[in-house]
Amino acid sequence: MPGILPRSESATKVSGTSKIPNDTQSGATAGGDTTDVKLEDYRNGDRHMNGGLELVNGTYANGISATPTGVQRKTSTAMEKLVGQLPPELEHVTYGYVRFSALVAKLAQSTFNGLEDVIKDMSELPVSQPGQNALLSHPHHQVNGIRDSSQTNVQKKLRMLSFASNRRAQFIKILILSRWARQAEAVGRVVDLNVWLNTQKRQYNECCSWMGELKRLLVPVKDPNPDIKTALEVLSLGKASWLPNVDYLAPETFSSGQLLDAFRRINTLLSIRLNLHEAIPLALRDFSIASGRATFRVLDEFEVDLSIAEEEPSSQLYFIDFRFTFSPMPAELPAGRLRSDVEGRANDVLKREGLQGLFDFLHNLALTHKLNVFRNQAFEMTRGNWSEDLQVEAVHRSVVVQYWSNRPGGKNWIELGLKRGQETRKSHFPSAQRVPYIALRWFRSGKEVTGFQINMRLGDLSLANILKQVIALHTNYIFQEIAAMLRGALLYSEGSLRLKSSFSATESMDASLLIQVTASKAVKVIQEPISGRFALLPASHLNSRAESELNRLLSPATEGASRIADLRSVTSQEEAGASARSVGWESVRSLNPGQETMQRLFPKATQRTNFFRRQSWSLSWILAFTTSPKGDFWWVVELLDKETAPEPPTSNAAAGPKLRAAYKVATTEPPQSLVLEHSYTALAQLERNAAGMISQYIDTRHLAASRIPHKIQLSAAHGAENRSATIFLRFPFIRTPSILQSSNSLSLPWANEIVRLDYRGLDPSNSSVVHIASARMQNLVSNIKDLTSAISSIAFHPTSGAFAFQLLTKVGETTITNLVHRLSAIGRLLDFICTIKTHGLTFNSASLTHVDFTYNNILKPLKAVIHFPSNAPMRISLTKPNPHLRIVDHLTARLLSHDLATVIALMRMTLPLLRALSSIESDHTGGGVEVLTRSEQWYRVRYFSPYPKGGYDIRLRQRRDEPMWHIPESTVKKGDEGDEGDEAFDETLKAVTNGKGEGWIGMNGGVVATIKGVEETVGRLDEVFRKRRHVAEESNPRKRKAEGEVVEID
């Protein structure tokens, strides 16, 4: 049998030395020999009392052999055949087994952790200190043996004993399990056998249950035995002899005329009774009489046919037929149990309560059927498209349908049930009437909604239609709330953005919100009726993210407007960023201003901010774009300079620059528009306006710091798109501010004090702002036409004396400095030109940095150029072979310290002398002459080899208020004393110093020459020194010969 453990080999064999008497009969053999063993000897058990077979407890039982000595059992042939037919081994159960080592390790770890907890708890208990008297009063006076009987000590001991006792019980269980584990194989087989037995028992019980259920199900299938005899008699004769004959009278047959007369009579009786004797309820006042019956109709509920059986007005009305007048329902009640029940109940009610009772019964029946139809439609919807978003619950006769079950937030549901009607009192009715009806309750987000209207169409029942109307109303409510909140914002209330809402009372997909988010983009919001999820069209990554956020809202009606506003801000921010990058602006990502800074500089309603920078602008100024429910705005933002700004000790150096101030930029849009167009043209104009604002703020700040009086006036003379501020400056005639003082301080004696500065946009590279400065000269320049043609960068008016010029300044830097330099340059230019014309010189060309003129036309034209750049000192430049090149540095110094008139006078006085000196140097091609310039009024002419050493000084002196050149006799050097020819030289020199010529005269102490005569004087002195050379050569022929010899060098 299954479950029997296999015998061990030792249990089936007996020692070969065992023997039994020869008279025993058996089929077993011992030691290979066949020995008959009688079965009668073992019929009542083994002959040994405690021996038995050795199969149970070993080979021997209690030390006595289990079988007769010398006898061995041999398996019979039948047993061998049975062994081959045994069932398979039992299934070994391994599920739920735990290793014994893991159990021991877990117990040891648990014990260790528990011991730590016990020690910790014991350490937390307060330790009681026994007093000194207690130690002395102890009978044995043993300190270490003092017994601490305090409550704390007792608790510690009890805690330790309780822990030890619990652990001991656990280890005892482990000990028992360890003993079982020593016989794990045998115990496992017992477990397998127990599992097998339980399985067999369960299968047996299941089989019995199945057989009983099968017997119960076969009862309806069982048919009675057919009555063949009766069937044959009825089929052949048409009757059965054993059936009783009741002898009923056959009904009278009526002709069609008789039937028509009967119907007319019944109709007359019904009309008289219903109009005169019956109290017909209000709900049954719609009736008609025809075909011998009165048909009462209740709109969208039922029709019932009644008739009479007697002429007596007090007799009972009888039920004829009944029909439901709403769909979906069958037109007539099918024949069967339902019709029979309705007919019986109706007749009973008519007998007891009359027409009022009949109406109440049939009305409740119709309402109940309608609710059942609604319930069935609801469950049918849960098996269709609404399966994941609709939950239906039947509560008594009411139907509760929850829609949008997967939407977060409060629950939304409708309840269809019966509601008691209002009392209706009529004079001919003794009591008030209450007619129940099917009513709808709507709960939106857990709160009941009142005052709504739903066309339930109770004649054509459709829960889907009712639910769609409710959902459409819910969608309309959400969109109305969102639209109302958005229209409360300044953007939509002022008409900068448009908002169009569409609503539908029957279909939620027809309801939508068309919201304009930017000047060029709009988004359409719709709601899917089945799931209640919102969809934003057209599809984009921004709309998808906003749609996801909108679908996660707990209350879309109150929170949806903020999400739409966020979408508008993000869309506007992205559009502005893309347009800004397209025009070359760089996004500034290093700025991370704090919340306090943002609230201080920008409106509190600001939602998002972007920072941009034009690479060619100053690093201290950037652009900011902000979005808020009040509109989109551009700002110019000034960054705080790290060098001048105080840095707190806890500031982070890597946090980037900080914001100092922000100013709103005027746009080209109409003043009432709060939404900006991010086109290329609009951003280019915005950039011009921002640059103008930056320049204006820097200039006004610079003027205020310089204490220069100024006035700002808005100007729109150059078009509405170029609205900017015009700055009027007042430069003092005498005093110049210290901050503007330079080597050439600004004063405007040649012009009015008022200077106008107009902003005219940016240059083509968008890196510099363009300003037009205009003023008016006090005194007109005679050659203003020539000046205008010569200086193209300045426009002069020939009659009024007004002039204007253009200034280019890098965005972020002040224009006042360039204006001061330019006005100074114009002043110097006009001063130079007037001086040149006053002295009768020839004006060649001019600009704001130089003036070119010709100061001498005799013999050879001589030109001079005066350079006066704004960032360098003035200087005079001459070209070769101009004789004034010798003193050009002195002339430049005189120009810086005096004026051009002084320089021109000096150049005229020194020209003849310098021309003579240049002529001397050019004549002496072999050298021997050197002119030393000590100043523009003092020169030294020195002669050396091949001439005898010598020379003289020429100095400019004032004689009788006229400039004269003086050659002091004391400065004339004759060379070495004792040289031959000195007498001849003295005589020649005296002829000059004592002589007289055109424009010069010799006097005691030297020679005095006029400006024009100095040239002849220098020529006469040069001849004197030349003659001395000839005399010296003739008087020393040896030296001349030596100088002329050629020496060969090996």
Side-chain angles (χ1 to χ4, degrees):
M1 289 180 63
I4 303 299
L5 298 176
R7 297 173 180 265
S8 61
E9 206 172 303
S10 60
T12 57
K13 294 184 181 179
V14 189
S15 175
T17 57
S18 301
K19 296 181 180 180
I20 59 175
N22 296 329
D23 57 350
T24 59
Q25 302 292 330
S26 175
T29 59
D33 300 331
T34 303
T35 305
D36 296 331
V37 181
K38 293 181 178 180
L39 296 179
E40 290 80 357
D41 298 336
Y42 302 94
R43 183 173 300 167
N44 295 323
D46 195 16
R47 288 176 293 181
H48 304 284
M49 295 296 296
N50 296 324
L53 295 177
E54 65 276 12
L55 300 175
V56 180
N57 292 326
T59 306
Y60 300 98
N62 296 334
I64 303 175
S65 176
T67 56
T69 305
V71 178
Q72 291 184 345
R73 298 234 175 171
K74 183 177 180 180
T75 306
S76 64
T77 306
M79 284 297 294
E80 291 178 354
K81 293 180 180 180
L82 290 175
V83 169
Q85 299 176 1
L86 291 178
E89 291 290 334
L90 298 180
E91 181 181 1
H92 183 56
V93 179
T94 59
Y95 177 78
Y97 278 57
V98 180
R99 295 181 61 85
F100 183 74
S101 59
L103 189 61
V104 174
K106 183 176 181 181
L107 181 60
Q109 183 65 35
S110 176
T111 303
F112 179 77
N113 295 339
L115 182 59
E116 285 187 341
D117 295 340
V118 169
I119 294 174
K120 183 178 180 182
D121 294 342
M122 292 173 62
S123 65
E124 293 177 354
L125 295 176
V127 180
S128 59
Q129 299 292 340
Q132 187 67 22
N133 296 332
L135 296 175
L136 298 176
S137 62
H138 195 270
H140 301 287
H141 198 66
Q142 295 178 359
V143 177
N144 294 333
I146 295 177
R147 180 179 180 182
D148 186 4
S149 59
S150 62
Q151 186 67 23
T152 303
N153 191 33
V154 172
Q155 290 180 3
K156 290 183 178 180
K157 292 179 180 180
L158 290 177
R159 183 75 175 84
M160 180 59 74
L161 288 175
S162 176
F163 172 74
S165 177
N166 293 337
R167 291 296 97 182
R168 180 176 178 273
Q170 295 294 331
F171 276 100
I172 289 174
K173 294 178 182 179
I174 289 295
L175 177 62
I176 295 173
L177 290 177
S178 66
R179 292 180 178 177
W180 278 87
R182 295 188 182 97
Q183 301 177 1
E185 183 178 0
V187 173
R189 292 181 179 179
V190 172
V191 172
D192 296 343
L193 181 60
N194 183 49
V195 171
W196 182 83
L197 289 175
N198 292 334
T199 304
Q200 295 298 318
K201 183 177 180 180
R202 185 180 70 255
Q203 293 177 354
Y204 175 77
N205 294 333
E206 291 177 355
C207 182
C208 293
S209 300
W210 177 79
M211 292 177 65
E213 183 68 17
L214 180 62
K215 183 177 180 181
R216 186 182 67 80
L217 295 175
L218 289 176
V219 171
V221 183
K222 196 173 184 180
D223 293 333
N225 294 329
D227 189 358
I228 303 299
K229 182 179 179 180
T230 305
L232 290 175
E233 187 176 358
V234 170
L235 291 175
S236 61
L237 300 179
K239 61 180 181 178
S241 59
W242 58 272
L243 292 176
N245 188 8
V246 293
D247 293 331
Y248 284 123
L249 297 177
E252 266 183 62
T253 59
F254 292 94
S255 64
S256 59
Q258 293 175 339
L259 287 176
L260 183 59
D261 291 340
F263 284 153
R264 287 175 179 173
R265 184 178 181 184
I266 294 174
N267 291 341
T268 303
L269 294 175
L270 284 173
S271 176
I272 295 172
R273 179 170 179 174
L274 293 178
N275 289 313
L276 300 178
H277 302 286
E278 289 290 341
I280 303 175
L282 293 177
L284 297 180
R285 286 302 177 95
D286 182 13
F287 66 91
S288 62
I289 300 174
S291 300
R293 64 183 67 184
T295 303
F296 295 90
R297 302 178 184 86
V298 178
L299 183 64
D300 294 337
E301 289 191 14
F302 61 88
E303 291 181 357
V304 59
D305 296 336
L306 303 180
S307 187
I308 57 176
E310 301 178 11
E311 295 182 3
E312 181 64 31
S314 61
S315 63
Q316 176 188 350
L317 292 171
Y318 288 95
F319 176 88
I320 302 299
D321 197 3
F322 174 80
R323 296 172 299 277
F324 288 116
T325 58
F326 59 87
S327 61
M329 281 297 293
E332 296 182 355
L333 291 180
R337 181 177 177 181
L338 176 61
R339 183 180 179 85
S340 300
D341 291 345
V342 171
E343 183 177 357
R345 180 73 181 274
N347 288 327
D348 184 61
V349 169
L350 284 171
K351 182 179 180 180
R352 291 185 290 103
E353 302 178 11
L355 291 177
Q356 182 64 44
L358 179 66
F359 169 73
D360 293 340
F361 166 65
L362 295 180
H363 180 63
N364 288 331
L365 178 64
L367 296 183
T368 302
H369 272 279
K370 285 185 177 181
L371 292 177
N372 287 333
V373 171
F374 282 135
R375 184 183 298 111
N376 294 334
Q377 289 179 350
F379 284 113
E380 186 67 26
M381 291 172 66
T382 58
R383 292 187 288 269
N385 297 333
W386 301 73
S387 58
E388 297 181 357
D389 302 282
L390 205 67
Q391 293 185 4
V392 181
E393 184 178 357
V395 181
H396 302 295
R397 284 198 297 177
S398 300
V399 181
V400 180
V401 180
Q402 179 188 353
Y403 61 94
W404 296 350
S405 58
N406 290 328
R407 272 201 60 84
K411 295 182 179 180
N412 308 287
W413 73 89
I414 59 173
E415 292 183 5
L416 287 169
L418 298 182
K419 187 175 181 180
R420 296 183 63 185
Q422 297 180 354
E423 292 186 357
T424 304
R425 293 185 179 271
K426 298 293 182 178
S427 59
H428 53 277
F429 283 99
S431 60
Q433 293 182 335
R434 287 180 178 269
V435 180
Y437 60 93
I438 294 179
L440 173 68
R441 299 177 66 190
W442 176 23
F443 292 83
R444 184 178 61 209
S445 299
K447 297 181 181 179
E448 185 175 1
V449 183
T450 58
F452 64 94
Q453 294 182 355
I454 292 291
N455 184 11
M456 298 181 66
R457 294 193 297 179
L458 296 178
D460 185 10
L461 303 181
S462 175
L463 181 63
N465 179 53
I466 295 175
L467 195 58
K468 286 182 178 180
Q469 293 184 59
V470 172
I471 292 176
L473 292 179
H474 197 163
T475 302
N476 293 344
Y477 165 74
I478 294 175
F479 286 168
Q480 287 172 357
E481 292 296 319
I482 293 177
M485 291 184 180
L486 289 177
R487 288 191 177 99
L490 195 61
L491 277 172
Y492 297 95
S493 62
E494 296 292 336
S496 299
L497 292 177
R498 291 181 295 174
L499 174 63
K500 181 181 180 181
S501 55
S502 301
F503 304 110
S504 174
T506 57
E507 187 61 48
S508 62
M509 288 296 293
D510 295 337
S512 63
L513 278 180
L514 186 60
I515 306 169
Q516 184 183 6
V517 292
T518 64
S520 59
K521 293 183 180 179
V523 62
K524 184 178 182 180
V525 184
I526 59 175
Q527 189 175 27
E528 200 274 324
I530 295 179
S531 62
R533 293 184 60 84
F534 294 94
L536 272 67
L537 303 176
S540 64
H541 70 284
L542 292 180
N543 291 349
S544 299
R545 185 170 61 185
E547 177 182 319
S548 178
E549 294 177 356
L550 200 61
N551 288 320
R552 288 197 298 266
L553 295 178
L554 299 180
S555 178
T558 57
E559 303 174 11
S562 62
R563 295 298 181 273
I564 299 298
D566 291 342
L567 173 63
R568 196 209 70 81
S569 298
V570 173
T571 305
S572 182
Q573 181 189 31
E574 186 180 72
E575 186 176 293
S579 301
R581 288 187 291 271
S582 67
V583 297
W585 298 355
E586 296 179 355
S587 180
V588 182
R589 303 184 184 276
S590 60
L591 286 179
N592 188 19
Q595 187 70 20
E596 182 180 355
T597 303
M598 295 296 293
Q599 293 181 356
R600 177 174 57 87
L601 298 181
F602 302 105
K604 293 183 179 180
T606 300
Q607 294 175 323
R608 293 183 178 271
T609 307
N610 273 12
F611 296 99
F612 303 95
R613 170 184 285 127
R614 170 69 76 172
Q615 190 174 8
S616 58
W617 289 11
S618 173
L619 298 179
S620 300
W621 292 88
I622 59 175
L623 288 169
F625 176 76
T626 61
T627 62
S628 68
K630 296 183 179 180
D632 300 340
F633 304 102
W634 285 95
W635 307 73
V636 288
V637 180
E638 184 179 8
L639 301 181
L640 198 61
D641 191 0
K642 292 185 177 180
E643 298 179 358
T644 59
E647 185 176 358
T650 58
S651 65
N652 186 9
K658 297 182 179 180
L659 308 185
R660 178 179 181 180
Y663 310 98
K664 187 185 296 185
V665 181
T667 61
T668 60
E669 303 293 336
Q672 68 274 14
S673 178
L674 301 176
V675 180
L676 307 179
E677 181 182 359
H678 300 116
S679 63
Y680 182 87
T681 304
L683 289 183
Q685 182 60 39
L686 174 71
E687 184 177 358
R688 289 191 291 270
N689 294 345
M693 290 183 61
I694 294 172
S695 179
Q696 173 190 341
Y697 285 121
I698 293 178
D699 291 343
T700 54
R701 190 180 301 166
H702 189 90
L703 292 172
S706 305
R707 297 182 180 179
I708 298 178
H710 61 279
K711 178 182 177 181
I712 301 175
Q713 180 179 350
L714 290 178
S715 174
H718 306 284
E721 69 278 3
N722 289 326
R723 289 181 61 88
S724 60
T726 299
I727 303 177
F728 292 92
L729 314 178
R730 180 184 294 275
F731 287 107
F733 180 78
I734 300 176
R735 185 182 62 85
T736 301
S738 59
I739 193 171
L740 297 177
Q741 287 183 353
S742 60
S743 59
N744 295 299
S745 299
L746 176 63
S747 61
L748 304 178
W750 50 273
N752 293 329
E753 296 180 356
I754 303 300
V755 178
R756 177 172 177 171
L757 188 63
D758 292 312
Y759 172 70
R760 294 299 177 84
L762 296 171
D763 66 336
S765 64
N766 293 330
S767 60
S768 300
V769 293
V770 179
H771 284 88
I772 299 297
S774 58
R776 188 184 300 273
M777 293 184 293
Q778 290 183 349
N779 300 319
L780 298 180
V781 180
S782 59
N783 58 338
I784 192 67
K785 296 183 178 180
D786 299 336
L787 186 62
T788 302
S789 60
I791 308 175
S792 58
S793 60
I794 304 177
F796 291 93
H797 195 274
T799 58
S800 64
F803 64 93
F805 55 89
Q806 178 178 294
L807 293 173
L808 293 179
T809 308
K810 183 178 179 182
V811 179
E813 296 180 358
T814 180
T815 311
I816 304 302
T817 305
N818 292 342
L819 175 63
V820 170
H821 292 314
R822 186 63 61 87
L823 290 175
S824 300
I826 294 173
R828 285 193 294 266
L829 177 62
L830 295 177
D831 188 17
F832 291 158
I833 293 175
C834 291
T835 303
I836 292 172
K837 293 299 181 179
T838 302
H839 288 78
L841 304 182
T842 303
F843 172 75
N844 298 328
S845 64
S847 69
L848 293 179
T849 57
H850 78 281
V851 59
D852 188 351
F853 62 94
T854 302
Y855 62 92
N856 181 65
N857 291 319
I858 302 174
L859 299 180
K860 185 178 182 181
L862 297 179
K863 295 181 179 181
V865 180
I866 301 177
H867 301 274
F868 45 95
S870 59
N871 55 355
M874 291 187 296
R875 63 182 180 86
I876 299 176
S877 64
L878 305 173
T879 58
K880 292 182 180 181
N882 196 314
H884 280 97
L885 282 172
R886 191 183 308 274
I887 61 171
V888 65
D889 294 336
H890 299 283
L891 294 176
T892 300
R894 185 59 66 98
L895 178 65
L896 293 175
S897 59
H898 292 79
D899 54 7
L900 182 60
T902 303
V903 174
I904 292 175
L906 188 60
M907 294 175 70
R908 286 180 170 179
M909 288 186 293
T910 57
L911 177 59
L913 174 63
L914 294 177
R915 190 160 49 208
L917 295 177
S918 299
S919 176
I920 292 174
E921 288 181 339
S922 61
D923 292 342
H924 298 276
T925 57
V929 177
E930 182 180 16
V931 179
L932 300 178
T933 305
R934 300 184 184 274
S935 70
E936 68 275 14
Q937 301 178 8
W938 186 2
Y939 304 91
R940 172 72 178 174
V941 181
R942 187 171 65 87
Y943 291 87
F944 53 90
S945 178
Y947 302 104
K949 292 181 179 181
Y952 54 90
D953 289 349
I954 304 176
R955 302 188 68 175
L956 186 64
R957 299 291 186 181
Q958 196 78 12
R959 185 173 182 269
R960 295 178 183 178
D961 296 333
E962 291 185 8
M964 304 289 289
W965 289 104
H966 181 226
I967 303 175
E969 186 177 1
S970 59
T971 61
V972 179
K973 302 295 183 181
K974 304 177 183 179
D976 298 333
E977 295 293 336
D979 289 345
E980 296 181 4
D982 284 345
E983 295 178 358
F985 175 76
D986 292 340
E987 293 178 0
T988 309
L989 182 61
K990 285 181 180 181
V992 176
T993 56
N994 295 329
K996 183 179 180 182
E998 185 179 357
W1000 64 275
I1001 186 172
M1003 302 176 64
N1004 294 330
V1007 179
V1008 177
T1010 61
I1011 299 300
K1012 295 181 179 180
V1014 70
E1015 188 173 0
E1016 181 181 351
T1017 305
V1018 172
R1020 295 289 300 270
L1021 289 175
D1022 183 63
E1023 292 179 0
V1024 171
F1025 281 92
R1026 285 185 179 184
K1027 289 181 179 180
R1028 187 183 179 197
R1029 174 187 178 187
H1030 297 312
V1031 172
E1033 290 177 355
E1034 293 175 359
S1035 62
N1036 195 356
R1038 185 179 300 175
K1039 182 178 180 181
R1040 184 173 64 253
K1041 181 180 180 181
E1043 290 177 355
E1045 292 179 353
V1046 178
V1047 180
E1048 295 182 2
I1049 300 176
D1050 187 2

